[in-house]
Amino acid sequence: MIVVLKNNTPKAQVDGFMQKLRERGFEVHVSKGESATVLGLIGDTSKVEPEEMLAYDFVESAQRVKAPYKQVSRSFHPEDTVVSVGGNSVGDGKSVCVMAGPCSVETEEQVVEVAKAVKASGARFLRGGAFKPRTSPYSFQGLGAEGLELLKVARKETGLPIVTELMAINQIELFSDVDIIQIGARNMQNFDLLKEVGKLRNPILLKRGLASTVKEFLMSAEYIMASGNPNVILCERGIRTFDNYTRNCLDLSIVPYLKKETHLPVIIDPSHACGIRWMVPTLAKAAVAVGADGLIIEVHNNPEKALCDGEQSLTPAQFDETMKILAKYAAVEGRTL
Amino acid sequence: MIVVLKNNTPKAQVDGFMQKLRERGFEVHVSKGESATVLGLIGDTSKVEPEEMLAYDFVESAQRVKAPYKQVSRSFHPEDTVVSVGGNSVGDGKSVCVMAGPCSVETEEQVVEVAKAVKASGARFLRGGAFKPRTSPYSFQGLGAEGLELLKVARKETGLPIVTELMAINQIELFSDVDIIQIGARNMQNFDLLKEVGKLRNPILLKRGLASTVKEFLMSAEYIMASGNPNVILCERGIRTFDNYTRNCLDLSIVPYLKKETHLPVIIDPSHACGIRWMVPTLAKAAVAVGADGLIIEVHNNPEKALCDGEQSLTPAQFDETMKILAKYAAVEGRTL
Amino acid sequence: MIVVLKNNTPKAQVDGFMQKLRERGFEVHVSKGESATVLGLIGDTSKVEPEEMLAYDFVESAQRVKAPYKQVSRSFHPEDTVVSVGGNSVGDGKSVCVMAGPCSVETEEQVVEVAKAVKASGARFLRGGAFKPRTSPYSFQGLGAEGLELLKVARKETGLPIVTELMAINQIELFSDVDIIQIGARNMQNFDLLKEVGKLRNPILLKRGLASTVKEFLMSAEYIMASGNPNVILCERGIRTFDNYTRNCLDLSIVPYLKKETHLPVIIDPSHACGIRWMVPTLAKAAVAVGADGLIIEVHNNPEKALCDGEQSLTPAQFDETMKILAKYAAVEGRTL
Amino acid sequence: MIVVLKNNTPKAQVDGFMQKLRERGFEVHVSKGESATVLGLIGDTSKVEPEEMLAYDFVESAQRVKAPYKQVSRSFHPEDTVVSVGGNSVGDGKSVCVMAGPCSVETEEQVVEVAKAVKASGARFLRGGAFKPRTSPYSFQGLGAEGLELLKVARKETGLPIVTELMAINQIELFSDVDIIQIGARNMQNFDLLKEVGKLRNPILLKRGLASTVKEFLMSAEYIMASGNPNVILCERGIRTFDNYTRNCLDLSIVPYLKKETHLPVIIDPSHACGIRWMVPTLAKAAVAVGADGLIIEVHNNPEKALCDGEQSLTPAQFDETMKILAKYAAVEGRTL
């Protein structure tokens, strides 16, 4: 960590401050320049926030040199983490793993029909929401526990492992049999929930918050890993900007950045990012081009009747067509779907 | 709700769509223009999201005319809501209620000393964190249940009611005796938590999320009220923008806007907004000027030794000075602290 | 345009307002709902801003139904605009046109060497900055007129048409012989400059402003077209968000959106977007995947000695390798470079 | 400047890099830590951008310690700059200087009537737009040179000095007699225009760009001062965020920050910030509370008939009432209007 002191800080204060830092276990290097004195702190700075230094009025600024995360870092764990479920791998570098299904689970017929269709087109996981985070208390909140059961029926019918969102600590027991547990964007910094899923061994699909920096995103993954669960999949799903011609802005640059900075698999959710059906296939192609390990795509057998997010759901036929073109893109990189 | 159809939508589709809308209970008005057909939906649109309409490919756009919230709306409840705790009122239009105390509760001595000091300067509530939301799993996470007990000791010593943050459903029982329960910015859309505190009668101080729109903020308050708890205080604490010369950007315009749009009390947290001690008093003055019903300010007896957020904490002496000038600002509007 | 009136607006005011609107040439449709009266304005609303309506205190909100742009709109001009310069076409749907070269023109040797290299790798235009917009008055401001001459030397040597940035009205004469004139992101709403280049016939490469909405971007293109110049190329170069792990956030969703909404060619500048050399090839691939008509990429023969933006410049060898992989991506869509 | 090198950089590369830095005139201090080597550059870093360092692949990151601006900095010029025009001072610390008038100059009657009214209420400058930056080429673009003449008529009638916007280099001659020349938000980084007004001696009112950081804002002021004009007034007028319940978000924290960081006067434009008439007086009060040196407020004698921005203009009566309350706020700080 680099700490810049104000120019006219009395020597006694500088010395006292350095003494305190040494007592906290840091080695301290000093560079005295014409306009500022710069201290370099060497040691384990992961427990110190740069902002803490600003509690001292003579500190001008403080910045980390080393990332504040450890276990998620590629420098800590150089090999790619591969999350494997029922023979399907996410992050193996050879495949682009597609998860597909309806935004909300509605009926057994619906979820089984969609599951069969997406499997036929090459999807490797069935996604579907049972507990739904909705901006309005008056909107459909999902079927809850019953929805989970319907997903399991569809899993039994098709063999597809299931991915579904967990919203609260007190629902965790219901999720023991879920193949991949999703933590949604709005809960990315629900730290108690992160700690709890960190105690499980089910793979966790962690979505980036709407306005979360990459550093915050990785710190949330670190919460899960620090609690003991190494099976984390990162998912970009669009961020909030000043414009709204799409619902969110899909930040595709994060894929190459994360693949370099961390060893965890990275997938893209084009459906929630744009929120418009016709744009989903185009963004999915770009996700493959930037090196995503997978995609999570909404598919509904009757989008106009969907209880949630129908506007962004592909029909099974559109999904099938999309998968064919995605396979060509994957092939350019020597990958398969 | 206004629904704009694409220009060349076949009449049969328009008719079928209007029929469906009528079946859902809406009265539908049609305006046919040269470039688009516009439908006006009249009825209870609170259960419909404009985005749902986009599931139909012939829908160009859809917008609400009426706000999606009900119980928080001033049009639904014209009188100001006044939240009263132990003789102190928030939102009465006559006082500016100041809540003050340390970011984190650390020791009994610390919290009692700060409580006495802020009381002497005119604070009406003691704030302090027992459960702390921290970006890093390696940072101090608060004293937890023990911290709550220390707050209660300070309450007993000073008579000041206490305000402290609740982070998870499974801690709710511990909070039964807390005077005002705070829901933090990162949990503003933790909908399960909102529903649970909606079942309580303790007043809820709801902080605006870092990148939450006013509409989303009010919908989260609506979650609490819709679950039965009418005692909600709204708190602006700075939003995230493209710049970072202050930690967050204090959005003071929200105060007059919320006072017009809703009947709930609105307070300002200048400490978390700017994250820099010397700027806190200035922003506090502005908060009074825009009509805030209260302020929540961090005060620490030894900021340089604070375990959290020392950089933004006032010393008791600085707080005392701030209160004197705030009283003058309040007086301009005929208010007292 | 839809104008929503407040609920309790007296009938006389509504009538008077409607009368004024009719006098301005609009046909006015009325829908009276329980919570608001909605007026639909039919006619040429391009000269009216929705905000103007808010000057009347009884107006709740106003929204456009029809886009405020005309000439840039695909509904006005359904066929793709193809910009052709010296046998090279941008926007023909069959090729992905690559423009490459150094950020700043520095010496004849440099620009000629880079021009030859990028031509050999398949670039179709030479880009290079002579007049440079720099945040600091103390940074290198470009060679100016001399830089333009060096670009022309490189053009003569290689046959590559040149693309370079114009920053001010009083430099226009110097640019008469420039093949494509670039208007930079910071000048996207320099309306006087837009009007002036609108009087030329040289193709204009208009870059999106750092925080400009798509609507504003298209309105700036409309300024150029409304002044008489139909040869406009739109360029996305990254937007400003709350994060800064890359210099800007490349907003790739804009490509399919613009291709649908407008008939103008759309290209991507991955170099300025990310500001990091190693990420440029990855983003370039994604640009091809989303359907960009071209790319503008920085290449420098000695990035470490570049006077500007060396951190984002590819070496000629890296550019060559990038072009080979881009050709494969283009082939998936049946295009060539 | 602090330059962090990657952990495993070979010693020969580090040595070569340090040699180059010394050749550019810097003294270089080295701190070798466990995870990185940190170089401290001492000397005049104003001509070097931290990003330049990233052209070297072994550089991890680079940050400034010292601000990149000089002449605008309070450390360079400790006393407040006071801009005086015709007996009215901006930035003297004793007064809050109010500039008022219509968004657009429309007719002689209009501008003279408004000028007389705002003078009677205590305004010290007349503001009014002759050349108008409009998003759409089809919107009213201002009366241009004729508008300037009308402003001068109003100045003659009332004695109020005038403030009006300059949009392009080729209009400068027309502005020689303008008391304060405004550079609008969209031209904040029109560097050629900044250089030209830097050659004048008329005071320049520089508005912050919609999405400009404080650093960029100050660098633009530095452009003007570096060209020779020391009379710069900084104006915050709202920034662009993710929300749009007000047109822009008035960033009031910038006032105390700028007053500390620079010696230049700082004023607030509440009218453009919120874009809603009824909120203007409230924000104006807050501007006084945070220590602004002045305000620029839109006033129109008939807002509903304004050709531009009528929705945010106060009537003369509303302005008069606002001035009375602002005087009370100024008095709290020992200031007058």
Side-chain angles (χ1 to χ4, degrees):
Chain A
M1 189 175 293
I2 301 294
V3 181
V4 180
L5 305 185
K6 284 177 189 161
N7 207 5
N8 45 9
T9 310
K11 189 174 176 308
Q13 280 195 311
V14 177
D15 290 347
F17 184 55
M18 285 172 59
Q19 184 54 32
K20 279 180 196 164
L21 293 170
R22 288 196 188 99
E23 285 164 10
R24 290 183 69 171
F26 298 110
E27 195 181 323
V28 185
H29 284 209
V30 189
S31 297
K32 217 174 145 32
E34 57 184 320
S35 65
T37 296
V38 176
L39 305 183
L41 270 57
I42 294 167
D44 178 6
T45 54
S46 70
K47 291 183 187 169
V48 189
E49 289 300 316
E51 290 73 26
E52 285 180 41
M53 299 294 158
L54 301 176
Y56 295 86
D57 283 332
F58 52 84
V59 171
E60 178 79 35
S61 66
Q63 290 134 359
R64 282 187 190 287
V65 167
K66 202 170 152 181
Y69 36 83
K70 292 179 182 175
Q71 297 195 43
V72 301
S73 170
R74 193 174 278 281
S75 63
F76 179 87
H77 182 302
E79 285 81 39
D80 282 348
T81 284
V82 182
V83 173
S84 293
V85 184
N88 293 303
S89 296
V90 189
D92 62 9
K94 290 175 288 187
S95 62
V96 178
C97 182
V98 180
M99 305 168 180
C103 180
S104 289
V105 174
E106 296 166 13
T107 63
E108 183 175 324
E109 292 67 31
Q110 171 236 22
V111 68
V112 172
E113 183 181 328
V114 174
K116 287 180 177 170
V118 299
K119 186 183 184 189
S121 301
R124 308 257 293 280
F125 285 83
L126 172 66
R127 62 141 292 156
F131 294 89
K132 299 295 306 170
R134 301 301 300 272
T135 306
S136 167
Y138 309 120
S139 297
F140 173 60
Q141 309 273 317
L143 293 182
E146 187 196 338
L148 286 182
E149 292 312 309
L150 298 183
L151 281 169
K152 291 174 194 170
V153 171
R155 173 171 64 185
K156 203 170 171 190
E157 293 276 330
T158 60
L160 290 180
I162 56 177
V163 186
T164 192
E165 180 167 352
L166 169 68
M167 286 178 64
I169 293 175
N170 57 3
Q171 299 152 1
I172 281 188
E173 281 176 35
L174 294 170
F175 280 67
S176 60
D177 189 24
V178 167
D179 301 291
I180 298 183
I181 297 176
Q182 176 178 315
I183 301 296
R186 288 172 185 76
N187 276 324
M188 193 202 87
Q189 292 195 317
N190 181 338
F191 300 119
D192 287 83
L193 187 58
L194 298 179
K195 287 176 188 171
E196 290 302 318
V197 299
K199 296 177 190 160
L200 307 177
R201 286 303 165 271
N202 313 48
I204 307 301
L205 193 165
L206 179 67
K207 289 198 155 187
R208 181 184 184 188
L210 267 171
S212 298
T213 63
V214 173
K215 202 169 279 180
E216 290 167 343
F217 188 18
L218 288 176
M219 289 311 288
S220 287
E222 185 81 16
Y223 256 98
I224 299 171
M225 292 191 74
S227 297
N229 189 342
N231 299 307
V232 180
I233 300 168
L234 302 170
C235 179
E236 157 70 24
R237 43 77 76 217
I239 57 172
R240 186 160 272 184
T241 73
F242 55 86
D243 204 355
N244 60 1
Y245 75 97
T246 44
R247 188 197 289 166
N248 298 117
C249 173
L250 184 61
D251 180 16
L252 285 163
S253 312
I254 205 174
V255 178
Y257 186 85
L258 287 175
K259 292 304 293 178
K260 201 172 187 218
E261 192 68 15
T262 173
H263 51 87
L264 298 171
V266 181
I267 71 168
I268 290 288
D269 177 347
S271 307
H272 283 87
C274 65
I276 333 173
R277 185 183 305 136
W278 66 266
M279 203 186 273
V280 170
T282 304
L283 296 181
K285 294 191 289 183
V288 176
V290 294
D293 294 305
L295 284 154
I296 182 162
I297 296 178
E298 290 195 1
V299 178
H300 197 286
N301 50 355
N302 192 346
E304 297 181 357
K305 288 207 173 147
L307 293 175
C308 166
D309 284 347
E311 70 278 14
Q312 69 199 29
S313 297
L314 300 183
T315 61
Q318 290 167 332
F319 178 69
D320 192 62
E321 197 180 344
T322 301
M323 290 294 277
K324 290 195 178 106
I325 176 83
L326 293 182
K328 291 186 196 170
Y329 273 90
V332 176
E333 301 286 340
R335 293 188 172 195
T336 55
L337 292 193
Chain B
M1 188 173 295
I2 300 295
V3 181
V4 181
L5 306 186
K6 284 177 190 162
N7 208 5
N8 44 10
T9 310
K11 188 171 178 311
Q13 281 194 311
V14 178
D15 290 346
F17 182 56
M18 285 172 59
Q19 184 55 31
K20 280 181 196 164
L21 293 171
R22 289 196 188 101
E23 284 163 11
R24 290 183 68 171
F26 298 110
E27 194 181 324
V28 185
H29 284 209
V30 190
S31 297
K32 216 171 147 35
E34 56 187 320
S35 65
T37 296
V38 177
L39 306 184
L41 270 57
I42 294 167
D44 179 7
T45 55
S46 69
K47 290 184 187 170
V48 188
E49 290 300 316
E51 290 74 24
E52 284 179 44
M53 298 295 158
L54 301 176
Y56 296 86
D57 284 330
F58 52 82
V59 172
E60 178 79 35
S61 66
Q63 290 133 356
R64 279 188 193 288
V65 167
K66 202 171 155 180
Y69 36 83
K70 293 180 181 174
Q71 297 195 42
V72 301
S73 170
R74 193 174 279 281
S75 63
F76 179 87
H77 181 301
E79 285 81 41
D80 283 346
T81 285
V82 182
V83 173
S84 293
V85 183
N88 293 302
S89 296
V90 189
D92 62 9
K94 290 174 287 186
S95 61
V96 178
C97 181
V98 180
M99 307 169 180
C103 180
S104 289
V105 174
E106 296 165 13
T107 64
E108 182 175 324
E109 292 68 31
Q110 172 236 23
V111 68
V112 171
E113 185 182 325
V114 173
K116 287 179 176 169
V118 301
K119 185 184 184 188
S121 300
R124 309 258 291 281
F125 285 83
L126 173 65
R127 60 141 291 154
F131 293 89
K132 300 293 306 171
R134 303 302 299 271
T135 307
S136 167
Y138 309 119
S139 297
F140 173 61
Q141 309 273 316
L143 294 182
E146 187 196 337
L148 286 183
E149 291 312 310
L150 299 182
L151 281 169
K152 290 174 193 170
V153 171
R155 174 171 62 186
K156 202 171 171 189
E157 292 276 330
T158 60
L160 289 180
I162 56 177
V163 185
T164 192
E165 180 167 352
L166 169 69
M167 287 176 65
I169 293 175
N170 58 2
Q171 300 153 1
I172 281 188
E173 281 177 33
L174 294 170
F175 281 68
S176 60
D177 190 25
V178 166
D179 300 292
I180 298 183
I181 298 176
Q182 177 178 316
I183 300 297
R186 287 173 186 75
N187 276 324
M188 193 201 86
Q189 292 194 318
N190 181 337
F191 300 118
D192 287 83
L193 187 58
L194 299 178
K195 287 176 189 171
E196 289 302 318
V197 299
K199 295 176 191 162
L200 307 176
R201 285 303 165 272
N202 313 48
I204 307 301
L205 193 165
L206 179 68
K207 289 197 155 189
R208 181 184 183 188
L210 268 170
S212 297
T213 62
V214 173
K215 203 170 278 182
E216 289 167 343
F217 189 18
L218 289 176
M219 289 310 288
S220 288
E222 185 82 16
Y223 257 99
I224 299 170
M225 292 190 73
S227 297
N229 189 341
N231 299 307
V232 180
I233 300 169
L234 302 171
C235 180
E236 158 68 25
R237 42 79 74 214
I239 56 171
R240 187 161 271 183
T241 72
F242 56 86
D243 204 354
N244 60 0
Y245 75 96
T246 45
R247 187 196 289 164
N248 297 118
C249 172
L250 184 60
D251 179 17
L252 284 163
S253 314
I254 204 175
V255 177
Y257 186 84
L258 287 176
K259 293 303 293 178
K260 200 172 188 216
E261 191 69 14
T262 172
H263 51 87
L264 298 171
V266 182
I267 71 168
I268 289 288
D269 177 346
S271 308
H272 282 88
C274 65
I276 333 172
R277 184 183 307 136
W278 67 265
M279 203 185 274
V280 170
T282 304
L283 296 182
K285 294 191 289 184
V288 176
V290 293
D293 294 304
L295 284 154
I296 182 162
I297 296 179
E298 288 196 3
V299 178
H300 197 286
N301 49 355
N302 191 346
E304 297 180 358
K305 289 206 173 147
L307 294 175
C308 166
D309 284 346
E311 70 278 14
Q312 71 199 28
S313 296
L314 300 183
T315 61
Q318 290 166 333
F319 178 69
D320 192 63
E321 198 179 342
T322 301
M323 290 294 278
K324 290 195 176 105
I325 176 84
L326 292 183
K328 290 186 196 169
Y329 273 90
V332 176
E333 301 287 340
R335 292 187 173 197
T336 56
L337 292 192
Chain C
M1 186 173 294
I2 300 296
V3 181
V4 180
L5 306 185
K6 284 177 188 161
N7 207 5
N8 45 10
T9 309
K11 189 173 177 308
Q13 281 195 310
V14 177
D15 290 346
F17 183 56
M18 285 173 59
Q19 184 55 29
K20 280 181 196 164
L21 292 171
R22 289 195 189 102
E23 284 164 10
R24 290 183 69 171
F26 298 110
E27 196 182 320
V28 184
H29 284 208
V30 190
S31 297
K32 216 171 146 34
E34 58 186 318
S35 66
T37 297
V38 177
L39 306 185
L41 270 56
I42 294 167
D44 178 7
T45 55
S46 69
K47 291 184 186 168
V48 188
E49 290 299 316
E51 290 74 24
E52 284 180 44
M53 299 295 159
L54 302 176
Y56 295 87
D57 284 331
F58 51 83
V59 172
E60 178 80 34
S61 66
Q63 292 134 357
R64 280 188 192 287
V65 167
K66 202 171 153 181
Y69 36 84
K70 292 179 182 176
Q71 297 195 43
V72 302
S73 170
R74 193 175 279 280
S75 62
F76 179 86
H77 182 300
E79 284 81 41
D80 282 346
T81 284
V82 182
V83 173
S84 293
V85 184
N88 294 301
S89 296
V90 189
D92 62 8
K94 290 175 288 188
S95 61
V96 178
C97 182
V98 180
M99 307 169 181
C103 179
S104 289
V105 174
E106 296 165 12
T107 64
E108 184 175 323
E109 293 67 31
Q110 172 236 21
V111 68
V112 171
E113 185 181 327
V114 174
K116 286 179 177 170
V118 301
K119 186 184 182 187
S121 300
R124 309 257 294 279
F125 285 83
L126 173 65
R127 61 141 292 153
F131 294 89
K132 300 293 307 169
R134 301 303 299 272
T135 307
S136 167
Y138 309 120
S139 297
F140 173 60
Q141 308 273 316
L143 294 182
E146 187 196 338
L148 286 183
E149 291 311 310
L150 298 182
L151 281 169
K152 291 174 193 170
V153 170
R155 175 172 61 186
K156 203 170 170 190
E157 293 275 332
T158 59
L160 290 179
I162 55 177
V163 185
T164 192
E165 179 167 352
L166 169 69
M167 286 177 64
I169 293 175
N170 58 2
Q171 299 153 0
I172 282 188
E173 280 177 34
L174 293 169
F175 280 67
S176 60
D177 191 24
V178 166
D179 301 292
I180 297 183
I181 297 176
Q182 177 179 314
I183 300 296
R186 286 172 186 76
N187 277 322
M188 194 201 85
Q189 292 194 318
N190 182 337
F191 300 118
D192 287 82
L193 187 58
L194 298 178
K195 286 176 189 171
E196 290 302 318
V197 299
K199 295 177 190 161
L200 307 177
R201 285 304 164 272
N202 313 49
I204 306 301
L205 193 165
L206 179 68
K207 289 197 154 187
R208 182 183 182 187
L210 268 170
S212 298
T213 62
V214 172
K215 202 169 277 182
E216 290 168 342
F217 189 18
L218 289 177
M219 288 311 287
S220 287
E222 184 81 16
Y223 256 99
I224 299 171
M225 292 191 74
S227 297
N229 190 342
N231 299 306
V232 180
I233 300 168
L234 302 170
C235 179
E236 158 70 24
R237 42 78 75 216
I239 56 171
R240 185 160 271 181
T241 73
F242 56 85
D243 203 356
N244 60 0
Y245 75 96
T246 45
R247 189 197 288 166
N248 297 118
C249 173
L250 184 60
D251 179 17
L252 284 163
S253 314
I254 204 175
V255 177
Y257 187 84
L258 287 176
K259 293 302 294 177
K260 200 172 188 219
E261 190 69 14
T262 173
H263 51 88
L264 298 171
V266 181
I267 71 168
I268 290 288
D269 177 346
S271 308
H272 283 88
C274 65
I276 334 172
R277 184 183 307 136
W278 67 264
M279 203 184 274
V280 171
T282 304
L283 296 183
K285 294 192 288 185
V288 176
V290 293
D293 294 304
L295 284 154
I296 182 162
I297 296 179
E298 289 196 1
V299 178
H300 197 286
N301 49 355
N302 191 345
E304 296 181 358
K305 288 207 173 147
L307 294 175
C308 166
D309 284 347
E311 71 277 13
Q312 70 199 30
S313 297
L314 300 183
T315 61
Q318 290 166 332
F319 178 70
D320 192 63
E321 198 180 342
T322 302
M323 289 295 278
K324 289 196 177 104
I325 176 84
L326 293 183
K328 290 186 197 171
Y329 273 89
V332 176
E333 301 287 339
R335 292 188 173 197
T336 56
L337 292 192
Chain D
M1 188 174 293
I2 300 294
V3 181
V4 180
L5 306 185
K6 284 175 189 163
N7 208 7
N8 45 10
T9 310
K11 188 173 177 309
Q13 281 195 310
V14 177
D15 290 347
F17 183 55
M18 284 173 59
Q19 184 54 32
K20 279 181 197 165
L21 292 170
R22 288 195 188 100
E23 284 164 10
R24 290 183 69 169
F26 298 110
E27 197 181 322
V28 185
H29 284 209
V30 190
S31 297
K32 218 174 143 31
E34 57 185 318
S35 65
T37 296
V38 177
L39 306 183
L41 270 57
I42 294 167
D44 178 7
T45 54
S46 69
K47 290 183 187 171
V48 189
E49 290 299 316
E51 289 75 24
E52 285 180 42
M53 300 294 158
L54 301 176
Y56 295 87
D57 283 332
F58 51 84
V59 172
E60 178 79 33
S61 66
Q63 290 133 358
R64 282 187 190 286
V65 167
K66 203 171 151 179
Y69 37 82
K70 293 180 182 174
Q71 297 195 43
V72 302
S73 170
R74 193 174 279 281
S75 63
F76 179 86
H77 182 300
E79 285 81 41
D80 282 347
T81 284
V82 182
V83 173
S84 292
V85 183
N88 293 302
S89 297
V90 189
D92 61 9
K94 290 175 290 188
S95 61
V96 178
C97 182
V98 180
M99 306 167 181
C103 180
S104 289
V105 174
E106 295 165 13
T107 64
E108 183 176 322
E109 293 66 34
Q110 171 236 22
V111 69
V112 171
E113 183 180 328
V114 174
K116 287 181 176 168
V118 299
K119 186 184 182 188
S121 301
R124 310 259 291 280
F125 286 83
L126 173 65
R127 63 141 292 154
F131 294 89
K132 299 295 307 170
R134 302 303 299 272
T135 306
S136 166
Y138 309 119
S139 296
F140 173 59
Q141 308 273 317
L143 293 182
E146 187 196 338
L148 287 182
E149 291 313 308
L150 298 182
L151 282 169
K152 290 174 195 171
V153 171
R155 174 172 62 185
K156 203 170 170 190
E157 293 275 331
T158 59
L160 290 180
I162 55 176
V163 185
T164 192
E165 180 167 353
L166 169 69
M167 287 177 63
I169 294 175
N170 58 3
Q171 298 153 1
I172 281 189
E173 281 177 34
L174 294 170
F175 281 68
S176 60
D177 191 24
V178 166
D179 300 292
I180 298 183
I181 297 175
Q182 176 179 316
I183 301 296
R186 286 172 186 76
N187 276 323
M188 194 202 86
Q189 291 194 317
N190 182 338
F191 300 118
D192 287 82
L193 188 58
L194 298 178
K195 287 176 189 172
E196 290 302 317
V197 298
K199 295 176 190 162
L200 307 176
R201 285 304 163 271
N202 313 48
I204 306 300
L205 192 165
L206 179 67
K207 289 198 154 187
R208 181 184 185 188
L210 267 171
S212 297
T213 63
V214 173
K215 203 169 278 180
E216 289 167 342
F217 189 18
L218 289 176
M219 289 310 288
S220 287
E222 185 82 15
Y223 256 98
I224 298 171
M225 292 190 75
S227 298
N229 190 342
N231 299 307
V232 180
I233 300 168
L234 301 170
C235 179
E236 158 70 23
R237 41 77 78 215
I239 56 171
R240 185 161 273 183
T241 73
F242 56 85
D243 203 355
N244 61 1
Y245 75 95
T246 45
R247 188 197 288 165
N248 297 118
C249 173
L250 185 60
D251 179 16
L252 285 163
S253 313
I254 204 174
V255 177
Y257 186 84
L258 287 175
K259 292 304 293 179
K260 200 172 189 218
E261 191 68 13
T262 174
H263 50 88
L264 298 171
V266 182
I267 71 168
I268 289 288
D269 177 346
S271 307
H272 282 88
C274 65
I276 333 173
R277 185 183 307 137
W278 66 265
M279 203 186 273
V280 171
T282 303
L283 296 182
K285 294 191 289 183
V288 176
V290 293
D293 294 305
L295 284 154
I296 182 162
I297 295 178
E298 288 195 3
V299 178
H300 196 287
N301 50 354
N302 192 347
E304 297 181 357
K305 288 205 174 148
L307 293 175
C308 167
D309 284 347
E311 70 278 15
Q312 70 199 30
S313 296
L314 300 183
T315 61
Q318 290 166 331
F319 179 70
D320 191 64
E321 197 180 344
T322 301
M323 290 294 278
K324 289 194 178 106
I325 175 84
L326 292 183
K328 291 185 196 170
Y329 273 89
V332 176
E333 301 287 340
R335 293 188 172 195
T336 55
L337 293 193

